Amino acid sequence: MKKHVKNIGLVLSGVVLGVAISFSGEISAATSKLLGGKVGKVMTVTLNNKSIGEAPVIGGTSYVPVRTAANSLGLEVKVSGNEIILNTPEEQAPAEQVPDTASVEKKELEIKIEQVKRKIESSKTALETKEKELNAAKGVVASGSTGFVSVVDSLQKSYDESKEYIADQEKELSSLESQLAALDK
């Protein structure tokens, strides 16, 4: 299994390097287009039926954090200036240094907690924007424009769904923090 992960890591490294070299100009332009782009949704990324992180979808394209994906494939990640360097580890840790199950579980929970916190913050920012849009549309309807009634209904539904999503994420955060606290005992 480790051999396959290493091979996958090498292939991934080659693909990332090839794309970076081939499309460096386009990547720079595409990156500038992403700034201020709306996140359509956030998708869960899994590797061997295990969640390894989240991928926001912007303009129909999902973006997976390089460090999360690379670490999950057993690669080392280094950043030097404007370059992300992926390497296969030189040596595996000796057996006596392999972390115990509890510490691995704790680290996974800490990562999940940070991901949920980021989702909550991002969703709250988006909710503020939705609230402004909703209030503006309500103002138009209040001024007598009946054509905006369906817009208000749609915005209200989206706003309510966002609030519900945030509440669900806050429950998830609370649950994860409880699990972490139980491991710390």
Side-chain angles (χ1 to χ4, degrees):
M1 178 64 186
K2 288 183 182 179
K3 185 177 180 180
H4 292 297
V5 169
K6 187 174 184 179
N7 288 340
I8 291 170
L10 290 172
V11 170
L12 180 63
S13 298
V15 169
V16 169
L17 182 60
V19 168
I21 291 170
S22 299
F23 297 103
S24 61
E26 288 96 5
I27 290 172
S28 176
T31 303
S32 64
K33 290 178 187 176
L34 291 177
L35 297 175
K38 289 186 179 182
V39 175
K41 61 182 173 178
V42 177
M43 300 174 70
T44 301
V45 178
T46 59
L47 174 66
N48 297 327
N49 295 322
K50 182 180 174 191
S51 175
I52 62 168
E54 307 271 317
V57 178
I58 303 172
T61 302
S62 59
Y63 295 88
V64 179
V66 172
R67 184 174 301 277
T68 301
N71 286 343
S72 295
L73 293 170
L75 301 174
E76 293 176 351
V77 180
K78 294 180 184 172
V79 177
S80 177
N82 289 334
E83 182 179 13
I84 299 172
I85 303 165
L86 303 176
N87 291 307
T88 55
E90 295 297 322
E91 293 181 24
Q92 296 295 326
E96 63 271 9
Q97 293 180 356
V98 174
D100 62 6
T101 306
S103 65
V104 170
E105 216 175 312
K106 182 178 176 181
K107 184 66 176 170
E108 288 175 354
L109 280 172
E110 289 170 344
I111 290 168
K112 286 180 183 178
I113 287 170
E114 287 306 311
Q115 289 171 342
V116 171
K117 284 181 178 179
R118 284 193 303 268
K119 279 192 214 177
I120 290 170
E121 287 306 310
S122 174
S123 296
K124 284 182 176 180
T125 301
L127 185 66
E128 289 174 8
T129 302
K130 288 180 182 183
E131 184 175 26
K132 290 175 185 174
E133 291 172 350
L134 177 60
N135 289 335
K138 284 180 177 179
V140 171
V141 170
S143 69
S145 176
T146 58
F148 264 75
V149 172
S150 63
V151 173
V152 169
D153 292 342
S154 176
L155 289 171
Q156 184 67 53
K157 181 180 178 187
S158 176
Y159 178 80
D160 293 342
E161 288 172 351
S162 294
K163 284 185 77 166
E164 187 176 316
Y165 177 78
I166 291 170
D168 289 344
Q169 291 302 309
E170 287 174 339
K171 287 177 190 172
E172 175 72 13
L173 178 60
S174 177
S175 172
L176 291 170
E177 288 175 337
S178 295
Q179 292 174 37
L180 182 61
L183 283 177
D184 284 338
K185 289 182 181 180

